[in-house]
Amino acid sequence: MLARNTDPIAAIATAPGRGGVGIVRVSGPQLAPLVRALCGRDLRPREATYLPFLDEHGDALDRGIAIHFPTPNSFTGEDVLELQAHGGPVLLQLLLARCLEAAAHIDEATGRARLPGLRVAQPGEFSQRAFLNGKLDLAQAEAIADLIDASTEAAARSASRSLSGEFSREIHALRDALIHLRMLVEATLDFPEEEIDFLQKADASGQLNSLRERLGEVQARARQGALLREGIKVVIAGQPNAGKSSLLNALAGAELAIVSNVPGTTRDVVAQTIQIHGVPVHVADTAGLRDSNDEVERIGIERAWGQIESADAILFLHDLTRADTPGYAHEDQALLQRIRGTLPGSVPVLNVWNKSDAAPPQLEGSARDGITLSARSGEGLEGLRQRLLEIAGWEALPEGVYLARARHVQALVRVGEHLAIAAGQLAAPMPMLELLAEELRLSQNALNEITGEFGSDDLLGVIFSRFCIGK
């Protein structure tokens, strides 16, 4: 549900906790009376002014920088006041409370409140105001949250490109080409008695093919952008003492998990996000898979299977030094079979043969498929990293990637499906132009969902509710 978007709103715009600077932000119509109450004077537009922030008695709560952004030249498109104070949590709460109190104060001259209805903002409501007032489209608004949440440098740079409008411009270019094609089809429908074949003369088929090619390029960059944002979940699984914890430590470059020769040392999931060429990979080390009478270890093994079921990829670790032991090899195959039976066929299970530095040379041939490495020495780790990127579907694209979300990718897939049906209609000996026009309309609708040219209130509510307070 959309918030009441006509109310003035206020919030602490900086992260919780102590810091050198904290910001309280207010947005709404005609903030001048509130500015005078808090700052003791009017402020020049968009000019930082150092002054005291006044309480109800005229005493200073703090001294800091105040900036007034009159409408429409502000982030939200409304009047915006930013108070940059010292970043103590208690002080910022006092300053926010003072904003609410000053707004509700009844002016004796007018008999009205300075800023009626001022309330604390909901998560994402400042960005929502910017979207509703035409300062940002929906893809750019989402990029704000993505930029804040970015866990890698590549993700941050890609989110910045989306925020600047690069992704939106691509979508608008596709939409404009689609609108032009729809006009041709509608013209043919509206004037069927004309001898001129609008579609053939305007090379509608060539335009549609060009549109589909361009869509493919946008889809490729969007898929990479979604991967940069979400990453993939990789679970390391295998029997006890195969070197799972050592592999996690080697990939992370830190001693995150306890390594021991005692079977069953890892009894719970140890997870870490690593970067491989800017792509976030969420790696989980799990308890060794075996039958156990230890109650705590059994709980860890159950959690390991839970992690396996939710994985995007499995690294099944084999101990190369035990590869010629019949019982060990048989158990490995049984576990592999169970894992593959648990997962959808689309989830890859990669065989990783560990301890190459300790295995006799004659056993290295046991690694018939997969990757051979040594978690201890680091040999083979780069090959594993590259293989993980391949599994994730990462490609080094020649142009900059913009950050995208799963809903963007899904919308582009629907556009492609509708355009494919439209191409089939257009190529038919007797095209059914009504169906062709409908497929083009549905394609445009799917594109519009990305930038928010139209959309349901429920969709907007879900998107902006995931933002932090003050954004």
Side-chain angles (χ1 to χ4, degrees), residues 88-356:
V90 174
L91 172 62
L92 293 176
Q93 288 293 342
L94 286 173
L95 198 53
L96 176 60
R98 169 59 180 150
C99 289
L100 298 172
E101 182 273 331
H105 180 78
I106 303 299
D107 187 281
E108 294 181 359
T110 64
R112 300 173 55 190
R114 291 192 182 102
L115 189 60
L118 180 66
R119 59 175 173 81
V120 175
Q122 297 179 11
E125 197 169 356
F126 285 91
S127 297
Q128 179 179 295
R129 295 283 176 95
F131 165 72
L132 293 174
N133 292 327
K135 307 298 287 188
L136 300 169
D137 66 29
L138 196 54
Q140 289 175 296
E142 289 172 308
I144 296 173
D146 293 337
L147 186 59
I148 294 171
D149 294 336
S151 59
T152 67
E153 179 182 348
R157 291 183 180 277
S158 297
S160 180
R161 281 192 285 269
S162 293
L163 179 57
S164 70
E166 194 167 317
F167 183 37
S168 300
R169 284 191 289 273
E170 294 273 14
I171 298 302
H172 289 149
L174 288 172
R175 187 194 62 186
D176 292 345
L178 190 52
I179 290 173
H180 185 264
L181 190 55
R182 284 188 65 192
M183 289 171 56
L184 296 175
V185 175
E186 296 292 344
T188 305
L189 283 170
D190 290 341
F191 304 101
E193 70 282 357
E194 295 289 341
E195 296 182 358
I196 299 175
D197 186 342
F198 288 97
L199 299 183
Q200 185 176 5
K201 182 178 180 180
D203 189 22
S205 180
Q207 289 189 41
L208 181 54
N209 290 335
S210 176
L211 181 59
R212 294 178 69 189
E213 289 178 5
R214 188 166 185 176
L215 173 66
E217 296 172 358
V218 175
Q219 280 182 300
R221 286 194 288 272
R223 282 194 298 268
Q224 301 303 298
L227 178 60
L228 276 178
R229 181 179 183 272
E230 305 291 345
I232 62 169
K233 179 181 178 180
V234 176
V235 174
I236 306 174
Q239 294 189 62
N241 278 10
K244 298 183 295 299
S245 297
S246 297
L247 181 57
L248 172 65
N249 292 342
L251 288 171
E255 296 296 322
L256 301 174
I258 297 173
V259 176
S260 169
N261 292 327
V262 178
T265 298
T266 301
R267 297 193 172 199
D268 204 351
V269 177
V270 181
Q272 178 68 18
T273 298
I274 65 173
Q275 294 185 42
I276 303 178
H277 297 305
V279 177
V281 179
H282 314 291
V283 185
D285 172 29
T286 59
L289 303 175
R290 66 172 178 176
D291 294 328
S292 175
N293 295 322
D294 185 298
E295 183 178 356
V296 176
E297 186 179 0
R298 282 204 310 271
I299 294 173
I301 293 170
E302 290 175 4
R303 292 182 178 180
W305 283 109
Q307 291 289 317
I308 289 170
E309 291 172 0
S310 63
D312 297 315
I314 302 293
L315 300 183
F316 189 84
L317 216 58
H318 304 270
D319 184 347
L320 198 53
T321 63
R322 292 183 279 171
D324 62 344
T325 305
Y328 180 82
H330 175 76
E331 186 63 23
D332 260 6
Q333 291 306 312
L335 287 172
L336 268 174
Q337 186 175 0
R338 180 180 172 185
I339 288 173
R340 289 194 169 107
T342 301
L343 295 171
S346 59
V347 177
V349 179
L350 180 62
N351 287 301
V352 179
W353 301 85
N354 190 27
K355 304 184 183 179
S356 61

Side-chain angles (χ1 to χ4, degrees), residues 16 32 46 55 65 68 78 81 89 96 103 109 116 131-132 152 156 217 315 373 396 418 465:
R46 295 172 297 282
D55 65 11
I65 292 174
H68 182 205
E78 304 172 328
L81 173 65
L96 176 60
F131 165 72
L132 293 174
T152 67
E217 296 172 358
L315 300 183
L373 56 77
H418 290 303
S465 68

